[in-house]
Amino acid sequence: MRILVLGAGKMGSFFLDLLSFDHETAVYEKDPMRMRFTYNCRRFTTLEEIEGFSPELVINAVTVKYTISAFNEVLPHLPKDCILSDIASVKTGLKDFYEQCGRRYVSTHPMFGPTFANLQQLSEENAIIISEGDYMGRIFFKDLYARLGLNIYEYTFDEHDRTVAYSLSIPFVSTFVFAAVMKHQDAPGTTFKRHMRIAKGVLNEDDYLLQEILFNPYTGGQVEQIRSELKDLLDIINRKDADGMKAYLAKIRDNVRRDIETIK
């Protein structure tokens, strides 16, 4: 299959490395410097080169802010039967875009990234495939993700947004709160250092990505739960309620017990 990847960033390069030995691959990137470390693929900087390549599948791996604009730029230069695909963690506007452009499409979300995941060992990572896309496109990514050992789930666009609101918004907001009240420590403890590493990774993410995840219509409810729990915890602390603290710790341990037991 002839596959064109849009964007030579970390995830774009990851997909090129993954696919280039089984498929004819190319990358379109306006900044030639970003393609220095791509190999075993064709490198395009003009739209005319895309026309000559005539891809059968396009994987849009540009920064989430530019996902739709990148599609609009290359659409006139793609064959009519070319399947469009994105790997965006934020799907805002994509369902409407796909329905309006009238092209075959598949939308997926690898629930990992170069910040924290070991890209050589992904058996504990997950991927979402949007169930509303093209059947053959879904099969292609299902086979690809299965080869990586990923745990695969199929959700609608709406179900995906609800999942992201929970799985990304809660840890992101918790990290923001930690960073907002943190003071420099000359001799930090182990737990503090671990939180700092997480904060460093999250805050190195693209500002637009963080914004769009938090502006997800389902995020507000999750943040309200955090505020409610903090209120309850603060009340226990202010009252120095030992029995209340014991009950609270029992509650949260029970709440995470199933997930903690699966951590190796």
Side-chain angles (χ1 to χ4, degrees), residues 60 62-68 71 85-95 97-98 107-112 128 130 156-158 160-165 167-169 172 205-219:
N60 191 333
V62 303
T63 303
V64 65
K65 182 177 182 179
Y66 301 108
T67 302
I68 293 177
F71 273 141
S85 74
D86 74 88
I87 57 170
S89 52
V90 175
K91 303 297 184 185
T92 305
L94 279 169
K95 181 178 182 180
F97 167 79
Y98 285 131
S107 184
T108 75
H109 180 186
M111 299 281 286
F112 59 88
I128 293 174
I130 302 300
T156 65
F157 277 107
D158 184 67
H160 169 271
D161 289 348
R162 291 177 184 271
T163 298
V164 166
S167 65
L168 293 182
S169 297
F172 280 13
E205 295 284 4
D206 178 78
D207 285 0
Y208 185 83
L209 170 64
L210 296 174
Q211 170 187 298
E212 289 303 293
I213 287 172
L214 295 181
F215 288 176
N216 180 318
Y218 300 108
T219 294

Side-chain angles (χ1 to χ4, degrees), residues 40 57 69 142 144 165 184 205 208 239 262:
N40 203 37
L57 171 69
S69 60
K142 187 176 290 186
L144 179 65
H184 173 71
E205 295 284 4
Y208 185 83
R239 289 187 287 109
T262 64

Side-chain angles (χ1 to χ4, degrees), residues 123-141:
S123 60
E124 295 182 10
E125 305 294 344
N126 305 311
I128 293 174
I129 298 177
I130 302 300
S131 59
E132 296 157 273
D134 178 81
Y135 175 75
M136 293 307 297
R138 297 203 313 273
I139 292 298
F140 175 85
F141 278 97

Side-chain angles (χ1 to χ4, degrees), residues 28-206:
Y28 174 61
E29 171 61 63
K30 294 180 180 179
D31 181 2
M33 294 293 288
R34 300 191 74 188
M35 295 190 288
R36 287 176 298 170
F37 304 111
T38 58
Y39 63 95
N40 203 37
C41 68
R42 299 171 67 178
R43 306 175 187 184
F44 300 153
T45 57
T46 68
L47 296 170
E48 290 71 26
E49 291 172 297
I50 293 176
E51 289 185 4
F53 183 62
S54 190
E56 299 167 86
L57 171 69
V58 169
I59 300 177
N60 191 333
V62 303
T63 303
V64 65
K65 182 177 182 179
Y66 301 108
T67 302
I68 293 177
S69 60
F71 273 141
N72 285 326
E73 180 182 12
V74 302
L75 266 178
H77 306 275
L78 301 176
K80 293 296 183 183
D81 59 349
C82 179
I83 300 175
L84 306 181
S85 74
D86 74 88
I87 57 170
S89 52
V90 175
K91 303 297 184 185
T92 305
L94 279 169
K95 181 178 182 180
D96 291 340
F97 167 79
Y98 285 131
E99 291 177 348
Q100 290 169 9
C101 76
R103 297 278 192 137
R104 297 168 65 194
Y105 74 89
V106 56
S107 184
T108 75
H109 180 186
M111 299 281 286
F112 59 88
T115 299
F116 293 117
N118 177 1
L119 299 183
Q120 306 303 316
Q121 177 58 44
L122 296 172
S123 60
E124 295 182 10
E125 305 294 344
N126 305 311
I128 293 174
I129 298 177
I130 302 300
S131 59
E132 296 157 273
D134 178 81
Y135 175 75
M136 293 307 297
R138 297 203 313 273
I139 292 298
F140 175 85
F141 278 97
K142 187 176 290 186
D143 289 344
L144 179 65
Y145 292 154
R147 291 209 322 266
L148 292 173
L150 292 167
N151 302 297
I152 303 169
Y153 302 89
E154 288 201 39
Y155 295 153
T156 65
F157 277 107
D158 184 67
E159 288 169 338
H160 169 271
D161 289 348
R162 291 177 184 271
T163 298
V164 166
Y166 175 76
S167 65
L168 293 182
S169 297
I170 288 179
F172 280 13
V173 169
S174 300
T175 299
F176 289 176
V177 172
F178 168 78
V181 302
M182 191 213 77
K183 295 181 180 179
H184 173 71
Q185 299 292 313
D186 290 324
T190 301
T191 303
F192 188 93
K193 288 190 289 186
R194 288 176 178 172
H195 277 285
M196 274 304 301
R197 283 196 291 269
I198 294 173
K200 178 181 177 181
V202 170
L203 295 175
N204 279 338
E205 295 284 4
D206 178 78

